[in-house]
Amino acid sequence: MNALHQHLDLFGCKTPLGLSTEGIKYVGSKLKLLSHILSLADEIDAESVFDPFSGTTRVSQAFARSGYTVISSDYSVWSETFARCYLLGRDPEKYKSLIQHLNSVPPVNGWFTEHYGGCPDTSSSIKRPWQIKNTRKLDGIRLEIDHLGLNEIEKSVALTSLIQALDRIDSTIGHFASYLKEWSSRSHNDLHLKVPDILHQDAGIAHQVHRGDVFDVAKCVSADLAYLDPPYGSNNEKMPPSRVRYASYYHLWTTVILNDQPDVFGAANRRVDSRDQVAASVFEEFRKNDEGHFVAVEAIEKLLEQIQTKWIILSYSSGGRATAKDLRSAISNVGTVLDIREIDYQKNVMAGMRWTDEWVSAIEKDNVEYLFLVEK
Ligand SMILES: C[S@@+](CC[C@H](N)C(=O)[O-])C[C@H]1O[C@@H](n2cnc3c(N)ncnc32)[C@H](O)[C@@H]1O
């Protein structure tokens, strides 16, 4: 048992107080579910957690702050960068002068300004994610980060700080597949970097950070518990493009990290390697295979089978490709459900559910998140 046994609230849920996490705006971020995920994990005896769809890394950060050893992984390079910063950075004090220095770098006109900077006072019809005064700062700071000869963790801290600062002043609805017609009010603010809220940790705790496809990474990881939060392809048959595609939604974070000035296309100036044909995840697939089964549902089944941890917490959002029947059979094939939580965002209600038909009918609702605690 670990530090989780402190700070339980009246409902037996770990409160997020004192468990601050940082993250960009991200479709599917589990910020609002952190207390539920932690309280489910508290029902079992796990000490290490594998988070292979780590995204913003908020869940990884929350587990690490609660005393678990965390193995964070995702196939996106931004998530790897955040995880190195928050889990491996150790001491925020060490980075104060670096961040101060980056804030003092003179703005310049460069590649980011050319492709993503817009003027607030012209009536140009071209929509851009940031005002030019801020892309000029971005151009200067991004060049400087490469010139400083930083080690891997220092560079991850600098890039995480830069991305968080850019996220605070963007003119988007939370992703970079399209930009707003009118400048958002936050986009008028100046780009300003802050030291990330890195964990103060004792050197004995050995968190790990990986990047890669979950099926590859899972082969070389050992942990007690896995928190599985894959993308869920939309079940809206008429609007397959409405599904979330992470590589295309967050292409700009890839480019800020790689600084590789890629070829871009379309009105949003997306990097060419973020096209669906190249970058889509099997979990985002909306089609059926030759045998008539949904590819995304098969991927969830395979995932549950291949994960080698004793316990799994599986996240599921209503509106996803899998039906309740699919999920029930996938879970039953690999283990026993110990607990289910239903979190209705709109009603702000959390309910415990039994492993009965009760949840099968509930799961067809909209805007509801489910957490399944499974023992394999
Ligand atoms: C629902 S989001 C996870 C959100 C995360 N739990 C959070 O709170 O920020 C799904 C994540 O899965 C990642 N992903 C999608 N397919 C993947 C795959 N095949 N292997 C590894 N990661 C994948 C995406 O990059 C995305 O960050």
Side-chain angles (χ1 to χ4, degrees):
M1 289 281 157
N2 53 46
L4 265 178
H5 292 273
Q6 300 150 22
H7 323 301
L8 291 182
D9 71 15
L10 283 177
F11 305 100
C13 264
K14 182 98 171 64
T15 60
L17 285 177
L19 256 193
S20 71
T21 60
E22 280 183 353
I24 50 168
K25 296 185 285 299
Y26 203 61
V27 178
S29 161
K30 294 303 179 290
L31 172 61
K32 290 187 183 159
L33 297 193
L34 292 178
S35 58
H36 302 298
I37 296 167
L38 290 168
S39 87
L40 270 185
D42 203 31
E43 292 179 20
I44 54 170
D45 226 350
E47 290 180 357
S48 53
V49 184
F50 177 34
D51 179 17
F53 300 95
S54 54
T56 60
T57 72
R58 281 192 188 269
V59 177
S60 287
Q61 291 174 52
F63 272 118
R65 286 193 185 277
S66 305
Y68 293 87
T69 301
V70 175
I71 300 132
S72 191
S73 173
D74 195 287
Y75 73 178
S76 67
V77 70
W78 62 81
S79 185
E80 179 192 38
T81 302
F82 301 155
R84 278 195 190 133
C85 163
Y86 290 110
L87 301 181
L88 309 182
R90 304 251 179 238
D91 180 7
E93 290 299 309
K94 267 187 8 200
Y95 306 105
K96 264 188 173 166
S97 55
L98 168 64
I99 300 301
Q100 221 168 24
H101 170 70
L102 293 177
N103 275 323
S104 70
V105 172
V108 294
N109 282 330
W111 188 86
F112 285 102
T113 300
E114 187 187 328
H115 294 89
Y116 302 106
C119 273
D121 40 12
T122 61
S123 54
S124 163
S125 58
I126 299 175
K127 294 177 271 174
R128 291 285 163 93
W130 292 292
Q131 297 197 8
I132 205 159
K133 62 174 182 175
N134 286 323
T135 50
R136 294 185 75 241
K137 285 186 158 207
L138 163 61
D139 273 314
I141 292 172
R142 188 59 195 86
L143 273 178
E144 182 66 4
I145 290 174
D146 279 346
H147 286 156
L148 286 174
L150 303 172
N151 68 32
E152 201 172 61
I153 294 177
E154 289 165 339
K155 191 167 176 182
S156 299
V157 171
L159 289 171
T160 299
S161 174
L162 176 59
I163 289 177
Q164 301 280 3
L166 288 164
D167 184 60
R168 285 193 289 272
I169 49 145
D170 69 347
S171 195
T172 74
I173 57 159
H175 60 69
F176 298 95
S178 61
Y179 311 123
L180 297 177
K181 241 195 315 209
E182 307 288 334
W183 288 106
S184 68
S185 54
R186 63 176 176 270
S187 71
H188 297 287
N189 296 334
D190 289 341
L191 182 79
H192 181 78
L193 278 60
K194 296 180 188 163
V195 179
D197 193 8
I198 293 165
L199 269 68
H200 270 288
Q201 290 197 108
D202 101 44
I205 297 188
H207 301 304
Q208 293 173 36
V209 175
H210 300 274
R211 170 158 59 97
D213 186 272
V214 60
F215 294 107
D216 298 328
V217 178
K219 287 183 200 145
C220 48
V221 159
S222 103
D224 303 325
L225 166 68
Y227 170 63
L228 302 182
D229 187 19
Y232 283 105
S234 163
N235 61 13
N236 185 340
E237 301 283 348
K238 296 191 186 89
M239 283 283 291
S242 68
R243 72 202 190 284
V244 177
R245 286 149 295 153
Y246 284 93
S248 87
Y249 271 30
Y250 300 102
H251 62 95
L252 247 159
W253 299 147
T254 305
T255 308
V256 169
I257 289 166
L258 302 181
N259 198 20
D260 55 353
Q261 308 194 352
D263 291 336
V264 295
F265 73 99
N269 277 345
R270 272 169 52 194
R271 38 187 306 129
V272 286
D273 61 6
S274 71
R275 286 184 195 272
D276 276 11
Q277 300 86 320
V278 187
S281 164
V282 66
F283 297 97
E284 295 165 5
E285 181 54 69
F286 59 93
R287 282 174 281 239
K288 292 181 176 171
N289 63 16
D290 295 342
E291 287 85 52
H293 301 130
F294 285 115
V295 173
V297 174
E298 275 202 338
I300 295 170
E301 287 168 357
K302 185 172 147 197
L303 179 67
L304 289 172
E305 271 163 29
Q306 294 196 359
I307 288 290
Q308 293 300 324
T309 55
K310 179 166 181 195
W311 295 284
I312 292 172
I313 296 176
L314 174 68
S315 260
Y316 177 79
S317 308
S318 59
R321 179 44 96 192
T323 64
K325 220 169 113 219
D326 296 328
L327 269 192
R328 164 179 269 190
S329 82
I331 295 173
S332 303
N333 284 345
V334 298
T336 315
V337 172
L338 303 180
D339 201 353
I340 306 176
R341 298 285 169 87
E342 176 193 17
I343 300 107
D344 188 327
Y345 278 150
Q346 277 176 346
K347 292 196 200 133
N348 201 16
V349 169
M350 191 273 286
M353 303 182 85
R354 292 187 308 278
W355 182 236
T356 63
D357 283 342
E358 193 184 350
W359 74 272
V360 175
S361 51
I363 208 161
E364 312 302 344
K365 294 180 201 160
D366 284 341
N367 285 309
V368 180
E369 297 273 345
Y370 297 89
L371 294 168
F372 301 90
L373 175 62
V374 180
E375 181 162 328
K376 275 192 101 174

